[in-house]
């Protein structure tokens, strides 16, 4: 079954009823976790430099990787030295507790670091990309070795163990409007109210009528409509071809 069809209410009614209970339990756990951070029961570590998180509130692609690359280049234009900290989604060995520098040594293998960090490293060869279970330790390593003055958390919105100075959230087209639901009944990682933690929200152009779903503060948050447009196709050997050359 295609999960996106399921999340868009194109699934048997009995299956929705069956998944309502785990979705409710998941929501309670996530809400309790967030409250523990907000009330100070869970500790939050802080790096001695600004930290910017790029993330989302749903599973699936929302453009986080190109947004992370664009943000790093933007910071470089202002003379800053950014580093990118990633958990390394898709790593083969999730029990590895070490910090790997993508593109060097073991970090050259996508099974060790994950495919997205490897892609980011290839697009940003002069920006350190570090993968490890503790982004605090990865950040400390980046500061000590390269004198980094700003960190970017790749897919970091739910990683609340590390303090961030700015939260950027991308909302994807695949969100099942107008009634997004929590996993596994829907594709939300967190309740929709979690968007209140973000300061900048990139919203898919064409869904402006759904802005009312989000409990945002116009005095503290900024919404920007965006449209993703593919430009080229890249091969595994590093070559690329513009899309207009592939049109019939």
């Amino acid at each position: 079954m295609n999960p996106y069809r399921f999340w868009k209410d194109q699934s048997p009614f009995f299956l929705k009823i069956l998944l309502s209970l785990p979705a409710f339990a998941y929501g309670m756990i996530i809400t309790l976790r967030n409250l523990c951070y907000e009330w100070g029961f869970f500790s939050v570590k802080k790096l001695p430099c600004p930290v910017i998180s790029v993330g989302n509130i749903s599973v699936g692609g929302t453009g986080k990787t190109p947004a992370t690359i664009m943000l790093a280049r933007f910071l470089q234009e202002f003379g800053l030295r950014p580093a990118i900290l990633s958990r390394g989604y898709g790593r083969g060995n999730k029990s590895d507790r070490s910090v790997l520098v993508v593109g060097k040594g073991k970090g050259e293998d996508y099974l060790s670091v994950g495919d997205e960090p490897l892609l980011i490293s290839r697009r940003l060869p002069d920006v350190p990309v570090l993968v490890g279970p503790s982004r605090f330790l990865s950040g400390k390593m980046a500061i000590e070795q390269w004198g980094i003055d700003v960190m970017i958390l790749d897919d970091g919105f739910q990683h609340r163990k590390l303090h961030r100075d700015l939260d950027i959230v991308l909302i994807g087209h695949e969100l099942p409007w107008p009634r997004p639901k929590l996993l596994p009944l829907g594709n939300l990682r967190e309740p929709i109210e979690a968007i209140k933690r973000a300061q900048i929200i990139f919203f898919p152009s064409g869904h402006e009528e759904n802005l009312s779903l989000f409990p945002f503060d116009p005095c503290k948050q900024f919404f920007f409509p965006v449209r993703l447009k593919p430009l080229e196709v890249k091969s595994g050997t590093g070559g690329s071809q513009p899309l207009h050359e592939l049109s019939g």
Side-chain angles (χ1 to χ4, degrees):
M1 176 184 293
N2 186 327
Y4 291 104
R5 291 188 62 188
F6 173 79
W7 292 329
K8 289 180 181 293
D9 292 332
Q10 299 176 4
S11 56
F13 178 75
F14 78 90
L15 192 55
K16 295 179 184 178
I17 296 298
L18 185 65
L19 293 178
S20 293
L21 183 59
F24 175 78
Y26 173 74
M28 293 295 292
I29 293 171
I30 294 298
T31 299
L32 180 61
R33 174 181 180 269
N34 285 333
L35 288 175
C36 286
Y37 276 110
E38 291 167 12
W39 292 343
F41 293 125
F42 290 168
S43 61
V44 177
K45 296 182 178 180
K46 187 173 183 178
L47 290 168
C49 69
V51 175
I52 303 173
S53 167
V54 179
N56 61 11
I57 60 170
S58 63
V59 298
T62 56
K64 295 188 303 295
T65 298
T68 298
I69 294 171
M70 182 179 68
L71 176 60
R73 288 173 174 164
F74 177 79
L75 294 171
Q76 285 182 310
E77 290 178 0
F78 282 86
L80 297 173
R81 296 186 299 275
I84 296 170
L85 312 180
S86 174
R87 171 77 182 182
Y89 178 77
R91 297 178 70 184
N93 184 8
K94 294 183 174 60
S95 62
D96 188 354
R97 309 298 295 178
S98 61
V99 176
L100 298 179
V101 180
V102 180
K104 297 183 179 180
K106 289 172 60 180
E108 295 178 351
D109 180 11
Y110 78 93
L111 291 176
S112 299
V113 298
D115 52 357
E116 291 181 357
L118 191 59
L119 170 63
I120 294 172
S121 177
R122 289 176 176 175
R123 290 295 183 92
L124 301 170
D126 53 344
V127 175
V129 181
L130 294 90
V131 170
S134 171
R135 302 196 203 192
F136 176 72
L137 294 180
S138 298
K140 287 183 63 178
M141 177 178 171
I143 294 172
E144 293 168 359
Q145 292 198 13
W146 295 284
I148 298 302
D149 45 29
V150 58
M151 301 290 175
I152 302 174
L153 299 185
D154 176 40
D155 195 11
F157 191 57
Q158 285 77 35
H159 187 79
R160 302 194 64 180
K161 294 180 180 179
L162 184 63
H163 169 83
R164 71 286 314 278
D165 300 276
L166 179 66
D167 262 308
I168 300 173
V169 167
L170 293 91
I171 298 173
H173 288 271
E174 82 288 346
L175 207 61
W177 309 110
R179 297 182 299 277
K181 302 177 182 68
L182 285 168
L183 288 166
L185 191 59
N187 66 339
L188 286 180
R189 291 176 166 185
E190 298 187 73
I192 202 76
E193 292 78 16
I195 202 75
K196 291 187 291 186
R197 300 200 311 269
Q199 291 79 44
I200 297 177
I201 298 100
F202 287 102
F203 198 84
S205 178
H207 288 279
E208 287 79 5
E209 71 278 4
N210 293 308
L211 282 175
S212 59
L213 290 173
F214 296 94
F216 71 96
D217 185 343
C219 297
K220 297 180 180 179
Q221 295 176 298
F222 299 92
F223 275 75
F224 297 97
V226 296
R227 186 185 301 275
L228 296 179
K229 181 180 179 181
L231 299 177
E232 61 184 10
V233 175
K234 285 189 172 291
S235 68
T237 58
S240 63
Q241 187 172 7
L243 286 183
H244 67 82
E245 295 183 1
L246 301 175
S247 61

